[in-house]
Amino acid sequence: MRTLEEVQATLEIAKLKEEDLLSTVHCLSFGDNVSSADYCLMELDETLCKHIESGESLVIRGDKDERAVLCSSDKTYDLKIADTSNLLLVVPGCRTPDQLTDNQDSTHVVHTQIWGFCNSYWELRKQRPKLKKLKKLLMENPYEGPAIRGQEDNTENRYTMEDLLERIQASEEELKTHLETIHACRIDGYWRVLDFDYEMKLLGHVTQLVDSESWSFNKVPLHTSLEELAPLEPREMIEHCLNCYGKRYIESGEVFYALHEDRVCWGLALMLLQNAVKFNLKEFQDVWQQSVPEGMTTRLEQLKGVALVDRTSRPETISLLRVEDLPEDTVERFNHLFSLREKWTEDDITPYIQDLCGEKQTTGALLTKYARSSMQSGVKVFNSRRPVAT
C-alpha cells in the first residue's frame, strides 16, 4: 500500500503541484480474484435513478429469439452495449470530489479496494413497447361466448397477467393500456380477447335495445340494459361491451353509459368491411349510416388507421387496412405500405405511421427519413426511397 511519501514522489515525477490538487488522495488496489465478468454496469437517467432509490424494480424482458428490453412500471427501454476506451472501475465507498468536505489542511491518503472492472456498459433508450405479440397470443383462444350446454370450454392457450408480463416486452402499465385498447377482458382469472363476431353480436344487442326503447344514446341505463339482455348474454359481457363502446357516469344514484359515437361507428364499419376485399365507397357509406343507431352520424375520419380509401379508382373504393396488422419495425412498415400503394398523401399515410414516432418525433420527420416527396396534380405525395418488392 502506497505511503504519502510515495504519492508525493509520483506527483513530482508527473510535474504536478500538490497545492493544485485536493488534499484527499485515493490509493486504488485490486482485490483478490477480481474479474471483468463479475459486474455489469448500466447507465440510468435521473428518472430511473429515483425509481430505483424509491425501492421500485426494473425488469429485463424478452424470449430467447428476441432482443432484450428493460421495463420500469410504466416505460420500456432498449438495451444497447456501449464500449468505452476507458476502464470503468467498481469502487464501493469511493467519494467524488463534490462529496468530499476536505477540511484537512494536509494531504492524506485513503486506501480503496477495486471490486470489479468493465470495458463496456449498458445504455438505455426509451422505445415503444412491443405489443403486436399480445394480440397474437390472445387470438390463439378468443372468447366466443359461454360454452353451450354439454360442451366444455377450451382451456388451452389462456394467459394470466403474470403470464403476459413474462411474454410481452412492455411495462405493466403499457400492457394494461393496450389490453383495454384491444377490448380484452378478464374471464375466470385469464385475459381473453373477444372473437370479433361475438363482440359485434354484443354491440348489436346494445344498439338494438337503444333503438327499441327510444333511449338517447347518451343516456343508456346499465341496470335496465342488463335486465333486458340477460336472457341473451352474460351480464358481465353486456357491461364489458358498454365499457368498450361508452363512457360510464352516475346520475341521481343510477349508473348510465353515454355511447361513444366514433367507437360505435368504427365497430360497425369493421363488421361491414371484414368480409370484403374492396367495397364501393358510396354503397359502403349508405349501408354504414343505416347500420348505426338513430342520431349517430358516420364519417370517414372515424376510420383512420383501420380503412383505406382509394380516390383514384372508378368507382371510388374502401378496404380494410388496420394499423395493428402492420409490421412493428419502422423500415418493414414503410416497405409494406409502399408495396400496397406506390404513392401516398400525407393525410392517408399519417394514421399508419403515427405509432412509430418516438419521444419528440413527428410523422413529418419519419417521412423525411424513410420516404421521398414529390408533387402530383398540385398535391404533395410520398413514395419509397428505394425499390420495393410487390
Side-chain angles (χ1 to χ4, degrees), residues 38-103:
D38 289 343
Y39 297 94
C40 288
L41 299 180
M42 185 179 292
E43 186 178 58
L44 303 181
D45 61 19
E46 188 177 350
T47 302
L48 286 177
C49 277
K50 290 179 179 177
H51 186 84
I52 290 290
E53 288 167 356
S54 66
E56 299 294 327
S57 61
L58 299 174
V59 184
I60 294 176
R61 294 196 171 112
D63 281 342
K64 291 180 180 179
D65 59 342
E66 295 172 327
R67 182 169 171 166
V69 300
L70 185 86
C71 296
S72 64
S73 58
D74 62 347
K75 291 183 177 63
T76 302
Y77 298 85
D78 182 39
L79 281 169
K80 183 180 178 182
I81 291 181
D83 294 318
T84 175
S85 57
N86 296 320
L87 192 65
L88 302 171
L89 304 177
V90 181
V91 186
C94 184
R95 290 186 292 170
T96 56
D98 59 302
Q99 294 172 322
L100 294 169
T101 56
D102 226 16
N103 292 325

Side-chain angles (χ1 to χ4, degrees), residues 203-215:
L203 181 59
H205 287 322
V206 170
T207 56
Q208 287 169 21
L209 180 64
V210 171
D211 279 343
S212 65
E213 297 290 337
S214 299
W215 291 334

Side-chain angles (χ1 to χ4, degrees), residues 96-298:
T96 56
D98 59 302
Q99 294 172 322
L100 294 169
T101 56
D102 226 16
N103 292 325
Q104 299 186 34
D105 294 330
S106 60
T107 302
H108 63 286
V109 178
V110 175
H111 294 282
T112 309
Q113 196 170 70
I114 298 168
W115 284 19
F117 62 92
C118 294
N119 293 101
S120 61
Y121 61 94
W122 288 101
E123 269 186 339
L124 301 182
R125 184 175 57 191
K126 190 175 180 303
Q127 70 160 35
R128 303 184 313 274
K130 298 178 180 180
L131 295 162
K132 190 178 179 68
K133 186 177 176 182
L134 176 60
K135 183 78 175 281
K136 183 179 177 182
L137 287 177
L138 296 183
M139 284 303 294
E140 293 172 355
N141 184 10
Y143 184 72
E144 299 176 345
I148 301 172
R149 186 175 298 176
Q151 292 184 355
E152 291 187 7
D153 190 19
N154 182 4
T155 58
E156 295 180 352
N157 302 322
R158 299 195 303 185
Y159 301 93
T160 63
M161 177 59 73
E162 289 70 28
D163 295 332
L164 293 175
L165 286 170
E166 284 290 321
R167 302 289 301 275
I168 305 301
Q169 292 186 297
S171 68
E172 186 169 355
E173 186 174 310
E174 290 167 330
L175 181 60
K176 288 178 177 178
T177 298
H178 197 63
L179 284 168
E180 187 176 328
T181 299
I182 63 175
H183 295 174
C185 61
R186 199 161 172 263
I187 301 172
D188 298 329
Y190 298 95
W191 282 95
R192 311 283 297 276
V193 69
L194 303 190
D195 174 78
F196 184 73
D197 288 340
Y198 181 65
E199 184 175 329
M200 289 301 102
K201 181 182 176 184
L202 293 172
L203 181 59
H205 287 322
V206 170
T207 56
Q208 287 169 21
L209 180 64
V210 171
D211 279 343
S212 65
E213 297 290 337
S214 299
W215 291 334
S216 163
F217 62 81
N218 286 318
K219 196 172 185 179
V220 180
L222 173 62
H223 179 74
T224 307
S225 299
L226 295 180
E227 290 297 316
E228 292 291 329
L229 298 176
L232 302 175
E233 297 294 342
R235 289 170 175 262
E236 57 271 20
M237 287 295 101
I238 298 298
E239 189 167 356
H240 174 67
C241 180
L242 287 168
N243 283 320
C244 291
Y245 290 94
K247 183 177 180 180
R248 184 187 182 105
Y249 67 95
I250 297 175
E251 186 178 290
S252 302
E254 187 176 356
V255 178
F256 292 92
Y257 280 86
L259 294 182
H260 198 291
E261 181 177 78
D262 288 349
R263 288 185 200 168
V264 174
C265 292
W266 169 87
L268 294 172
L270 288 186
M271 183 177 66
L272 295 173
L273 290 169
Q274 69 166 347
N275 296 319
V277 177
K278 283 190 177 180
F279 213 124
N280 179 299
L281 180 60
K282 178 67 172 65
E283 293 177 0
F284 166 77
Q285 287 177 299
D286 291 341
V287 175
W288 185 26
Q289 182 59 56
Q290 293 168 15
S291 69
V292 302
E294 188 177 348
M296 288 191 176
T297 304
T298 58

